[in-house]
Structure formats: C-alpha cells, structure tokens
Amino acid sequence: MAAQDPFAGFKAIQKEAWSLFTPMETFTTPTAAKLVGFAGVKPGQRLLDVGCGTGVVAITAARRGAKVRGLDLSPVLLERAREHAGLIQLDIDFTEGDAENLPYGDGEFDVVLSQFGHMFAPRPEIAIGEMLRVLKPGGTIAFSTWPPHLYVGRMFALVARHVPPPEGAASPVLWGDPKVVAERLAGKVKGLAFEMDMMTPAALSPQHVRRMMEATIGPLIKLLQQYKDEPDKLRSFRSEFEGLIGEYFDPANNVMRQQFLMTKAQKA
C-alpha cells in the first residue's frame, strides 16, 4: 500500500517535522490522563494508541493495567516513548506505522485511543476506517482533537494559508467539530459523546509561546523552512501569529488557555 499511497511524500515530511515534538509532552501528559479517564480504560483491556508520539497516553493506560500497543510515524518520538516505558518497566509494544494502514488484525483491541494524532492523517475516512477495523464490536474509540474556532485550530488554519496542504488532504481541525465527527462516524458507532476540557501550558508572553511552537510543531517548522530566505513574509506571519496567541494568553497566570474536544463512542 505504501508504494501506491498518493500522500507518501507528505507523510515523509510529517515524519521529519514532528520529530522535534518531544518538549511538548510536558503539556500533553496531563491531557493524556484526561483522555484515558474519559475513555474509561480498565485493567486487562487490549488498547491501541494511534499517533502515540512520546507515549504519554499509552503509558497512562498501561499504568491502569491495560495491555497496550502504540503506533506513530516518527521513530524519534517512538524511541522517547520506549525510554519512558522502560523507566517504570512497562511492557508496551511501540511500532512505527501509519494511521491509514494499521498493522493489526480485525477486532484486535478493546479500546482505540488517539490524542491529537490521527487527526493529521490526510484521509479521515481511511484513518477512522482503520481505527474501527481493529476495534472489536462494542469496543471503545476515543480521541482528543482541536476545535477549529479556538486557538490551536485557528493556528493550523493560519499556517495552512502560508503552507497549503497537498490537494485532497483534509484539514486536521475538522476532527474538532462535533458535527463533522458525527457525520464521519454515522452508522459505525453508538453512544457518541463529547466533552470539552482545557490545556494550560506555561508561558511568559505571546512571543515566548510563538518561539516554543516554532521549535516543536511540525507545520510551523515547515513554514520556517519555507520562509528562511524571505524575512518580510516571515515577519508578517509572526506578527499575525503573535496577535492570535495574545487572544488566549492569560498574563495574570502566565498560561495559555487551549480548549480541546474529547470524543468517545462504542463500535456498532
């Protein structure tokens, strides 16, 4: 399938760009616990973490007694995940792979989770089809995503105006719209439920946030590479980006206020 994948080049770029995401695990670790709790993970369940990154969801679930596997495009992030698991002697199988072509059998898992991961697959219908394929009937699927009208969703939309995705690739932030999620899961699940929560990364200023994001977020890293010889365009983007950040920066508490959406359902 990989040789025929029209988005193979795009995914190769993603793999490289997201390899610098590790510092952001400080902020995604608390939200991982929220997703695992929201999904109701129980001891003994077979669980897959799609787009597992540095393993924060997978490890949280394994600490609850689940039998966990994790999958991600980035070998760099997977190595970090293995280090985290090894520190507390957790046996988790971390595999390099693609959310659109999961290397697992039909109905293999009781729970399939994804925290800000599967949303970056360019073809949502294929990614969700694969996640549901490997989930047993009645099993739980749950994921965290960024609503398009809030900070992170707006940030990705801003970046996409400067670095458009390849033709045919869906916007990742559509996974943060409950109406779109309901349409994509229609007829495939039951008990669909949503819950909003808040991530509050520490920050000293919009400029501080912008610099941190530019060093760790894949699409922003690509944008910086694109504008490395065009300082005026880079300056203009940064001015607009810092203005957006300022709308969500809480100077009284030195934090960003980043709301996210959690979705869960049972496979029909």
Side-chain angles (χ1 to χ4, degrees):
M1 177 176 176
Q4 301 172 358
D5 187 347
F7 293 101
F10 175 62
K11 292 173 183 178
I13 293 170
Q14 285 184 313
K15 179 188 293 191
E16 180 180 359
W18 285 107
S19 66
L20 299 176
F21 183 77
T22 296
M24 296 299 286
E25 69 186 8
T26 301
F27 309 127
T28 58
T29 295
T31 59
K34 292 179 179 180
L35 178 60
V36 170
F38 180 66
V41 174
K42 297 178 176 62
Q45 288 183 317
R46 299 162 299 163
L47 183 146
L48 175 64
D49 179 12
V50 177
C52 65
T54 62
V56 294
V57 168
I59 289 167
T60 304
R63 287 200 341 259
R64 285 195 172 207
K67 300 174 182 178
V68 179
R69 293 186 177 187
L71 175 136
D72 199 272
L73 272 177
S74 169
V76 175
L77 299 186
L78 289 169
E79 185 58 34
R80 177 75 165 185
R82 294 185 186 104
E83 290 174 6
H84 286 324
L87 283 173
I88 50 177
Q89 299 181 335
L90 285 174
D91 182 16
I92 300 174
D93 177 34
F94 289 109
T95 300
E96 183 179 343
D98 183 352
E100 294 187 347
N101 187 23
L102 296 177
Y104 309 107
D106 296 354
E108 190 169 337
F109 298 97
D110 302 300
V111 182
V112 174
L113 304 181
S114 184
Q115 175 172 247
F116 314 126
H118 82 287
M119 60 185 282
F120 290 104
R123 295 169 292 188
E125 71 284 358
I126 294 179
I128 200 64
E130 280 291 275
M131 291 168 73
L132 289 171
R133 177 185 64 78
V134 302
L135 183 64
K136 73 175 187 180
T140 297
I141 184 169
F143 44 84
S144 298
T145 51
W146 300 110
H149 64 291
L150 298 174
Y151 165 60
V152 178
R154 292 173 63 190
M155 177 195 73
F156 283 124
L158 171 62
V159 173
R161 293 204 300 271
H162 291 261
V163 186
E167 184 177 354
S171 169
V173 301
L174 291 177
W175 277 114
D177 183 337
K179 291 182 179 179
V180 173
V181 173
E183 291 171 359
R184 289 175 174 174
L185 296 179
K188 303 173 180 138
V189 303
K190 56 187 178 181
L192 184 62
F194 302 99
E195 184 174 308
M196 293 289 294
D197 214 312
M198 181 86 72
M199 179 191 291
T200 53
L204 291 173
S205 67
Q207 292 77 15
H208 177 250
V209 174
R210 188 262 304 160
R211 183 180 64 179
M212 175 178 59
M213 300 288 277
E214 286 181 351
T216 55
I217 303 301
L220 281 166
I221 293 169
K222 184 180 177 184
L223 186 150
L224 261 63
Q225 293 171 344
Q226 176 175 296
Y227 285 161
K228 62 184 175 63
D229 297 321
E230 300 182 84
D232 291 341
K233 290 184 178 179
L234 181 57
R235 191 178 304 112
S236 176
F237 164 76
R238 283 175 165 167
S239 176
E240 189 173 0
F241 186 25
E242 289 171 6
L244 172 61
I245 293 168
E247 295 181 39
Y248 299 89
F249 174 57
D250 178 357
N253 294 292
N254 277 356
V255 297
M256 286 289 291
R257 299 202 172 275
Q258 300 178 191
Q259 288 181 288
F260 60 94
L261 177 71
M262 292 187 292
T263 300
K264 71 176 175 180
Q266 285 71 51
K267 180 178 175 179

